[in-house]
Amino acid sequence: MKLGLFGGTFDPPHIGHVILAAECCHQLALDEVDWILTPRPPHKPERDITPVKIREKMLHLIVDANPQFDLSRVDIDRPPPHYAADTVEIFRENHPGDDLIYLIGEDSLRDLPSWERPQELIERVDGLGVYARPGVDPDLVEIEDQIAGLSEKLIKIAGPLIQISSSEIRSRIREGKPYRYFIPPLVYSLIEEKHLYKK
């Protein structure tokens, strides 16, 4: 199989995430996109994060509606810290022989040298699917100077440039601004029902 690994905090998941996952699935001919929910990202230790059970429920509302999406518990069921290099290693052990394509945005590609053991991550995946982000132009020569073999694994993904972020959605909810059409309808209903992100 050819699997796309799509990690994130997803607090909350929004239509940009869904479009990215669907476009990657189509353009890379993936059999499945595994959404990997990170309980507490190591690079955001100070931020208040919605409990993982609620974020897991929001993601289920998305992945359960698409047979090519699946929600992985690889990071949920193991103790922190959750580094991508370790996550991919676990996938490699559990899916021997499968092609693993790690999916990120251009902003994450730009920051990749600052990740924990990025060289190991690149060596453990069969491809790095990179989705364009508005206003982001990573210096690939500089990044490859720090992560050998990056360009050989790089796969660019074209698609609509949607300038939506989870942080913007949280801000809009706190400030009472409209946000309904930034997220899938069932996720919107859950946020309203649970009064999430009000504070």
Side-chain angles (χ1 to χ4, degrees):
M1 291 181 69
K2 193 175 183 182
L3 306 179
L5 309 184
F6 184 26
T9 312
F10 302 117
D11 192 19
H14 52 71
I15 60 167
H17 292 133
V18 181
I19 290 171
L20 186 154
E23 280 298 308
C24 289
C25 209
H26 169 67
Q27 294 185 33
L28 304 181
L30 302 176
D31 294 292
E32 181 177 284
V33 171
D34 286 284
W35 296 58
I36 303 168
L37 177 60
T38 303
R40 178 161 290 280
H43 60 288
K44 300 177 183 177
E46 73 294 336
R47 212 201 89 203
D48 281 339
I49 297 179
T50 305
V52 67
K53 288 290 184 188
I54 295 176
R55 287 181 286 133
E56 184 181 355
K57 187 171 184 179
M58 286 192 280
L59 278 182
H60 268 299
L61 294 173
I62 293 171
V63 302
D64 292 351
N66 188 319
Q68 287 188 294
F69 292 169
D70 192 27
L71 175 56
S72 170
R73 297 189 59 86
V74 64
D75 283 353
I76 298 172
D77 292 339
R78 68 186 178 97
H82 303 106
Y83 296 123
D86 299 325
T87 300
V88 171
E89 182 178 25
I90 294 169
F91 260 91
R92 180 63 69 198
E93 292 170 356
N94 293 336
H95 299 271
D98 288 345
D99 285 344
L100 304 182
I101 313 297
Y102 200 83
L103 308 175
I104 60 173
E106 279 185 323
D107 52 339
S108 293
L109 174 63
R110 177 195 60 207
D111 300 336
L112 195 59
S114 69
W115 288 25
E116 184 76 14
R117 309 193 316 278
Q119 188 68 55
E120 291 181 29
L121 170 63
I122 292 303
E123 290 170 0
R124 289 171 179 166
V125 297
D126 297 289
L128 186 70
V130 179
Y131 197 90
R133 293 296 300 269
V136 181
D137 186 21
D139 186 336
L140 294 180
V141 174
E142 181 179 334
I143 297 170
E144 177 124 40
D145 282 344
Q146 301 173 71
I147 309 173
L150 175 74
S151 60
E152 298 167 14
K153 300 288 180 79
L154 201 63
I155 309 167
K156 291 203 172 183
I157 301 151
L161 300 181
I162 300 179
Q163 201 159 358
I164 296 175
S165 69
S166 296
S167 59
E168 180 186 359
I169 293 170
R170 294 193 302 270
S171 295
R172 281 178 164 267
I173 295 172
R174 281 194 305 270
E175 296 166 11
K177 294 179 180 178
Y179 73 98
R180 179 172 193 159
Y181 302 108
F182 286 40
I183 54 179
L186 292 177
V187 175
Y188 173 80
S189 297
L190 180 62
I191 290 173
E192 289 292 297
E193 176 192 337
K194 300 291 185 183
H195 307 288
L196 301 176
Y197 310 113
K198 297 290 186 182
K199 296 180 182 180

